[in-house]
Amino acid sequence: MNKKLFLRSILILCFSFTLLSCSSEDVKQEDTTQPAITLRAYTQSSFEIELLDLINQDRVSKGLNALSIINEISYVGSTHNDYMIAAGAINHDNFSQRAESLQAGLGALSVGENVASGFNTAQGVLNGWNNSPAHKANLEGNYTHFGVAVKADSTGKKYYTLLLIRK
């Protein structure tokens, strides 16, 4: 392999890791009276509804249960999008705080999270997640409910946070 091709391959690999990331954890039951993030109502955009519908269609086509939308889950995702936009990078910083909030506020037994940026279509981000073994595992996980938030930064670059829970 020539040096130019090798460097190009490394660049593509690094770029791919910056576009996609996922995390999941089983949440231990704790008696918490104050969630780390106050859950609030959230109204999904038509783009977010399209993505949620595509995720459910994908799950059902694989013989899995469709997930129910909980707006407060999307709200938690929106707070993380704000954080990622401020940081200028996708990440799972403070994932345990989001998971604890969903446990305390909604009774989540387990929580999974996929994040991404740079995709312009709902189908594009779903394809990206499905092409990554860890993200695909979250999409196909043993969950019952979900929410998603999509927000663009000042340049128009979209940030995505998908949270999935099992109740």
Side-chain angles (χ1 to χ4, degrees):
M1 179 183 311
N2 68 36
K3 185 176 180 179
K4 188 175 183 179
L5 183 60
F6 176 75
L7 291 175
R8 184 173 163 197
S9 297
I10 295 296
L11 181 61
I12 290 170
L13 182 63
C14 289
F15 181 69
S16 296
F17 281 121
T18 63
L19 289 180
L20 299 167
S21 187
C22 69
S23 182
S24 66
E25 73 177 36
D26 287 331
V27 181
K28 295 178 183 174
Q29 290 290 344
E30 295 177 10
D31 186 15
T32 308
T33 57
Q34 181 78 20
I37 298 169
T38 302
L39 299 183
R40 294 201 165 99
Y42 184 87
T43 303
Q44 282 88 16
S45 68
S46 59
F47 185 86
E48 291 163 333
I49 293 293
E50 177 186 359
L51 179 53
L52 293 168
D53 287 344
L54 286 172
I55 291 167
N56 267 338
Q57 290 170 22
D58 185 58
R59 285 179 61 88
V60 169
S61 75
K62 296 171 181 172
L64 301 169
N65 62 301
L67 304 175
S68 299
I69 300 168
I70 296 181
N71 295 330
E72 290 83 358
I73 297 173
S74 296
Y75 173 77
V76 173
S78 75
T79 66
H80 188 56
N81 283 346
D82 291 339
Y83 177 86
M84 291 190 298
I85 289 170
I90 62 171
N91 60 64
H92 290 287
D93 295 356
N94 308 310
F95 173 67
S96 61
Q97 181 184 22
R98 288 185 295 287
E100 289 171 11
S101 295
L102 295 171
Q103 178 212 6
L106 298 175
L109 301 175
S110 64
V111 179
E113 174 178 87
N114 285 359
V115 297
S117 68
F119 293 93
N120 292 317
T121 66
Q123 188 65 59
V125 72
L126 179 60
N127 291 344
W129 283 334
N130 268 318
N131 289 328
S132 162
H135 293 92
K136 186 175 181 172
N138 268 350
L139 290 172
E140 297 175 2
N142 183 20
Y143 297 108
T144 56
H145 298 81
F146 68 159
V148 71
V150 181
K151 186 171 185 180
D153 67 10
S154 61
T155 68
K157 180 180 178 180
K158 291 181 180 173
Y159 287 77
Y160 299 79
T161 300
L162 170 70
L163 289 160
L164 309 106
I165 71 167
R166 181 172 34 115
K167 287 180 73 164

